[in-house]
Amino acid sequence: MRRKIFQDVLPEALAVADVVAIGPVNRAQLLTDEDRFSPDAVAESICKRGRAAQAFSSAEAIAEYFTDNVKPGDMVMVMSNGSFDGLCNKLLDKLKSRTGVRG
């Protein structure tokens, strides 16, 4: 997902979700502008399909967004080819602290 190989088809696939949060490109400086995936372009394309989408600058920002906006019964799916700066744990910790859940 660092390269824009799937950039044109990804919006169609993700537009089935109610909300899409796209994180930054890992080690973006190693890629040329022509090769680098654009989270902003994908988010914009999803929005044009009538769905909510936003590009974020960090895993922390995504965790904050979902902590502020997720409701009981919502399903959140994280897709990443790595730890994504600990996004899953950050999100779970924030949601637990919000609801007072222990575990």
Side-chain angles (χ1 to χ4, degrees):
M1 294 305 302
R2 295 178 57 230
R3 298 182 186 277
K4 61 168 66 174
I5 296 169
F6 298 110
Q7 187 164 308
D8 294 335
V9 296
L10 195 57
E12 184 176 344
L14 294 176
V16 299
D18 293 322
V19 177
V20 176
I22 304 171
V25 175
N26 187 32
R27 299 182 317 235
Q29 72 281 5
L30 299 178
L31 299 167
T32 65
D33 289 344
E34 297 81 34
D35 290 333
R36 188 180 315 116
F37 176 80
S38 172
D40 290 318
V42 173
E44 182 180 326
S45 184
I46 293 168
C47 289
K48 287 180 181 176
R49 288 171 166 76
R51 295 296 189 175
Q54 186 173 343
F56 291 87
S57 61
S58 68
E60 183 68 29
I62 292 172
E64 287 290 332
Y65 172 81
F66 279 112
T67 300
D68 292 343
N69 292 287
V70 73
K71 297 180 288 300
D74 285 352
M75 180 186 307
V76 177
M77 179 174 75
V78 176
M79 295 176 13
S80 177
N81 63 350
S83 74
F84 193 5
D85 195 27
L87 175 59
C88 291
N89 288 332
K90 287 177 184 183
L91 181 56
L92 288 172
D93 290 345
K94 287 180 182 300
L95 289 173
K96 286 177 187 176
S97 68
R98 182 183 87 173
T99 61
V101 172
R102 294 183 186 173

